[in-house]
Amino acid sequence: MPRLKINESPCSAARALDILGDRWTLLLIREAVFGTHRFDDFAEHLGIARNVLSARLAMLVENGILEQEPVDSESRRYGYHLTPMGLDLLPVLVSLMQWGDRWLQTPASVPLQIVERKTGEKIPDMRPSNKAGKALAFKDLDWMPGPGADDPRIAALVAAYESQRSTVPRPVPSAPSIISAADRPSTNGRVIKRRQTSRL
Amino acid sequence: MPRLKINESPCSAARALDILGDRWTLLLIREAVFGTHRFDDFAEHLGIARNVLSARLAMLVENGILEQEPVDSESRRYGYHLTPMGLDLLPVLVSLMQWGDRWLQTPASVPLQIVERKTGEKIPDMRPSNKAGKALAFKDLDWMPGPGADDPRIAALVAAYESQRSTVPRPVPSAPSIISAADRPSTNGRVIKRRQTSRL
């Protein structure tokens, strides 16, 4: 079930970054993915101050990404474990690691490789793709308003995107027709002109 | 060519987060992807303090993610544009947005949909996959030392992972045999036992 604890921004990336948008948070998730569960181990592996660690772990529990469970069936000690919501961050973590491998390492300095367990083969770099599995580059994508696009804070983003794209001819998408909101004020009072048959 | 300006951590995710690890940085990149180029537009769309914006943009230029170019061929005004390294963050941004869509929105509140331009079809959620295109879950993946895994800070991560996995039987991967480093001290002086035929 979706959690809606945080925040006011309608954008999914902004909401995600309200949870994940600092260095330590995603590194804590990386540690959890690699099997770290105990407070002392997080502190030791990351060299993070204990008060900062304590606050970050509490925030991740609060937001449903980690939960506290017994370390093992025989133990009374509790450790932090990824919830399904936390495990579902795998695509974010993997694409972040792969970008770092491509741009922030030399071939000789890449420290970890992600392989398919069954075959031992290195997995390919993640890219957006279509349903047929064809990789899509930036120029192959369009951004269209979704059901929640009526928010004026999204409208400003969409308007910027439309004005950038307006000089480039694009085919009419076969997707269902998108919201045809009338012109409406943006957050700063400017009126954003929107075409009734808007194609992003 | 890889850039190696920053930092001391050998982990690609940690290096990437040294650039991207705050809320504003990825939101600036989201804005740039949507066609925002001018300082004033970044400031207006994000409601970010101008001194913070100025520092973040300078950092992104410094690290090769944005560059300053004329806004258009007839203009003397300069704007910020994504470099190839910046555009290559698309998989990170898309997987972050999709995670936010799955966990931080209701179906009715999703503000933006990413579609294939040619067909108008919504693109599927990004997942790690093997070369044949089969989606891989967390349990289908293993993490093996790469050529740069000799760093003791990575060894601690690998050791934690090994101890977690040691109780789970796994097939022998067909990948080339991985580094067989002798036991060596970790960052805190503990000796990490490593099997010569280590299978992560």
Side-chain angles (χ1 to χ4, degrees):
Chain A
M1 190 193 297
R3 285 165 174 269
L4 294 167
K5 293 231 168 123
I6 37 157
N7 67 53
E8 301 175 21
S9 171
C11 170
S12 295
R15 288 186 181 184
L17 290 170
D18 267 3
I19 306 177
L20 307 173
D22 89 341
R23 187 178 191 281
W24 290 123
T25 304
L26 265 169
L27 288 180
L28 286 174
I29 291 163
R30 181 201 70 177
E31 284 291 319
V33 163
F34 276 80
T36 300
H37 299 298
R38 294 182 53 229
F39 187 94
D40 288 345
D41 291 334
F42 283 113
E44 180 188 305
H45 295 171
L46 291 173
I48 182 176
R50 297 176 76 87
N51 60 332
V52 176
L53 174 60
S54 181
R56 288 299 184 289
L57 289 172
M59 186 276 286
L60 289 171
V61 170
E62 165 82 8
N63 281 291
I65 289 172
L66 293 176
E67 59 195 348
Q68 287 191 285
E69 280 179 2
V71 170
D72 55 58
S73 52
E74 291 123 48
S75 177
R76 284 192 193 166
R77 291 179 318 180
Y78 277 69
Y80 295 89
H81 294 257
L82 289 163
T83 63
M85 183 185 182
L87 278 172
D88 194 40
L89 279 164
L90 189 69
V92 178
L93 189 66
V94 170
S95 53
L96 189 76
M97 283 181 65
Q98 292 178 333
W99 181 80
D101 285 349
R102 290 195 294 274
W103 294 97
L104 306 172
Q105 304 279 3
T106 63
S109 74
V110 171
L112 287 170
Q113 292 179 330
I114 311 174
V115 304
E116 183 178 13
R117 179 166 295 174
K118 210 168 80 176
T119 62
E121 281 191 7
K122 189 166 174 280
I123 66 167
D125 284 5
M126 289 176 62
R127 309 277 186 197
S129 64
N130 65 14
K131 279 177 195 163
K134 182 175 170 275
L136 301 174
F138 179 60
K139 64 176 173 48
D140 302 320
L141 299 176
D142 261 333
W143 312 71
M144 295 179 70
D150 266 334
D151 191 293
R153 290 162 295 189
I154 290 294
L157 206 63
V158 168
Y161 182 71
E162 284 200 359
S163 83
Q164 175 206 27
R165 290 295 192 219
S166 58
T167 54
V168 184
R170 276 166 301 143
V172 180
S174 62
S177 70
I178 56 178
I179 51 152
S180 58
D183 296 345
R184 58 178 175 240
S186 77
T187 41
N188 63 353
R190 274 192 309 119
V191 170
I192 295 169
K193 290 278 172 199
R194 309 205 61 225
R195 286 168 285 154
Q196 288 295 313
T197 55
S198 170
R199 285 180 286 122
L200 285 188
Chain B
M1 191 192 301
R3 287 164 174 270
L4 293 167
K5 293 233 167 122
I6 35 156
N7 65 52
E8 300 173 24
S9 171
C11 170
S12 295
R15 287 187 181 185
L17 290 171
D18 268 2
I19 305 177
L20 306 174
D22 88 342
R23 185 179 193 281
W24 290 122
T25 304
L26 266 170
L27 288 181
L28 286 173
I29 290 163
R30 182 200 69 176
E31 285 289 321
V33 162
F34 275 81
T36 300
H37 300 297
R38 296 179 54 227
F39 188 94
D40 288 347
D41 292 334
F42 282 112
E44 180 189 306
H45 295 170
L46 290 172
I48 182 177
R50 297 176 76 86
N51 60 331
V52 175
L53 174 59
S54 182
R56 289 297 185 289
L57 289 171
M59 186 275 284
L60 289 171
V61 170
E62 165 81 8
N63 282 292
I65 289 172
L66 293 175
E67 60 194 347
Q68 288 190 286
E69 279 179 4
V71 171
D72 57 59
S73 53
E74 292 123 49
S75 177
R76 285 193 193 166
R77 292 180 318 183
Y78 277 69
Y80 295 88
H81 294 257
L82 289 162
T83 63
M85 183 185 182
L87 278 172
D88 195 40
L89 279 164
L90 189 68
V92 178
L93 190 65
V94 170
S95 53
L96 189 76
M97 283 181 64
Q98 291 178 332
W99 181 80
D101 285 350
R102 290 193 294 274
W103 294 96
L104 307 171
Q105 305 278 2
T106 63
S109 74
V110 170
L112 287 169
Q113 290 178 332
I114 311 176
V115 303
E116 183 179 14
R117 179 167 296 173
K118 211 168 80 177
T119 62
E121 280 189 6
K122 188 164 175 280
I123 66 169
D125 283 6
M126 289 176 62
R127 309 276 186 200
S129 65
N130 65 13
K131 280 177 196 165
K134 180 174 172 275
L136 301 174
F138 180 60
K139 64 178 174 44
D140 302 320
L141 299 176
D142 260 333
W143 313 72
M144 295 180 69
D150 267 333
D151 191 293
R153 289 162 295 190
I154 290 293
L157 205 61
V158 168
Y161 182 71
E162 284 200 357
S163 83
Q164 176 205 26
R165 289 298 191 217
S166 58
T167 52
V168 184
R170 276 166 302 143
V172 180
S174 61
S177 71
I178 56 176
I179 52 156
S180 58
D183 295 346
R184 58 179 176 238
S186 78
T187 41
N188 63 350
R190 274 190 310 120
V191 169
I192 296 169
K193 290 277 173 203
R194 309 203 64 223
R195 286 168 285 154
Q196 289 296 311
T197 56
S198 170
R199 284 179 286 121
L200 286 186

